[in-house]
């Protein structure tokens, strides 16, 4: 059956069900806007403030408190740039806070999810910026488009550690 042939309620149920769980593969913060990233084993996600030690502007209106990238997309970006495995793109290169494997981050659109002890809420897509092209070379902007990950805000404070799982919070109701 074609996806557009599903009744609306069946399609909504497919969108609502996210059976995969992710895993934290990498953590980092940016203490200064253009400074070096610090790679971490654990970090505190603070409600309405983002990650401890990260320069992201705190506050409930900041939709970009935390940036996440799908671990599997790093290989795609590296391939699109023609990088050899020993020079593969890293989450640090892209200045993301958390790299997650095992789940399609785009399935988190409009959702809350638990990662470690914290609960985050997806706020949008993490688009590439022109600075990446300057830092990583010609073609980086286009290679990252559609693979840059998501932005999120912290809903519930908690510690996030390497190896922690990411689980999607159930929807309270289907619209």
């Amino acid at each position: 059956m074609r996806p557009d042939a599903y009744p609306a309620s069946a399609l909504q149920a497919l969108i609502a069900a996210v059976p995969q769980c992710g895993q934290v593969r990498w953590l980092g913060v940016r203490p200064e806007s253009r400074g070096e990233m610090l790679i971490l084993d654990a970090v505190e996600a603070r409600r309405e403030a983002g990650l401890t030690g990260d320069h992201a502007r705190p506050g409930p209106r900041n939709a970009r408190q935390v940036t996440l990238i799908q671990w599997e997309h790093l290989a795609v970006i590296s391939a699109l740039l023609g990088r050899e495995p020993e020079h593969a793109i890293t989450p640090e290169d892209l200045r993301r806070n958390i790299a997650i494997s095992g789940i399609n981050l785009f399935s988190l659109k409009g959702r809350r999810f638990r990662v470690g002890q914290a609960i985050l809420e997806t706020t949008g897509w993490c688009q590439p910026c022109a600075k990446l092209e300057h830092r990583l070379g010609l073609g980086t902007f286009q290679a990252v488009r559609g693979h840059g990950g998501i932005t999120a805000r912290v809903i519930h404070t908690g510690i996030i550690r390497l190896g922690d799982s990411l689980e999607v919070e159930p929807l309270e109701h289907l619209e």
Side-chain angles (χ1 to χ4, degrees):
M1 181 180 276
R2 294 186 357 239
D4 60 348
Y6 284 108
S9 60
L11 186 55
Q12 288 172 332
L14 287 172
I15 291 169
V18 183
Q20 295 86 4
C21 290
Q23 182 181 29
V24 176
R25 299 286 300 268
W26 187 92
L27 291 168
V29 293
R30 306 154 299 194
E32 299 174 11
S33 177
R34 290 182 174 84
E36 294 295 317
M37 291 202 68
L38 297 177
I39 300 170
L40 307 170
D41 292 328
V43 67
E44 180 186 31
R46 296 171 296 139
R47 186 176 192 278
E48 298 183 353
L51 303 179
T52 298
D54 198 61
H55 82 280
R57 293 179 293 278
R61 297 176 60 107
N62 182 7
R64 208 179 153 95
Q65 292 174 356
V66 182
T67 58
L68 298 93
I69 189 161
Q70 193 167 321
W71 183 260
E72 294 84 356
H73 284 194
L74 297 170
V76 172
I77 296 167
S78 294
L80 292 172
L81 290 172
R83 296 258 185 134
E84 297 296 325
E86 61 272 11
H87 299 292
I89 292 292
T90 67
E92 182 179 8
D93 290 331
L94 301 176
R95 303 187 60 75
R96 299 302 184 258
N97 296 123
I98 304 173
I100 301 287
S101 66
I103 190 169
N104 181 350
L105 292 181
F106 288 156
S107 69
L108 304 179
K109 180 181 180 184
R111 301 292 293 263
R112 289 185 177 186
F113 54 95
R114 179 177 299 276
V115 57
Q117 299 170 345
I119 296 177
L120 307 181
E121 179 177 61
T122 304
T123 56
W125 311 130
C126 200
Q127 302 296 340
C129 68
K131 294 175 197 168
L132 285 177
E133 186 92 2
H134 178 71
R135 284 183 49 248
L136 300 175
L138 184 64
T140 303
F141 181 87
Q142 291 296 343
V144 175
R145 287 182 71 192
H147 303 290
I150 62 172
T151 57
R153 72 170 47 99
V154 181
I155 302 301
H156 178 78
T157 298
I159 304 297
I160 301 170
R161 292 180 173 80
L162 285 178
D164 277 350
S165 65
L166 180 153
E167 297 177 12
V168 179
E169 294 285 291
L171 289 174
E172 297 196 11
H173 66 286
L174 292 176
E175 296 177 10

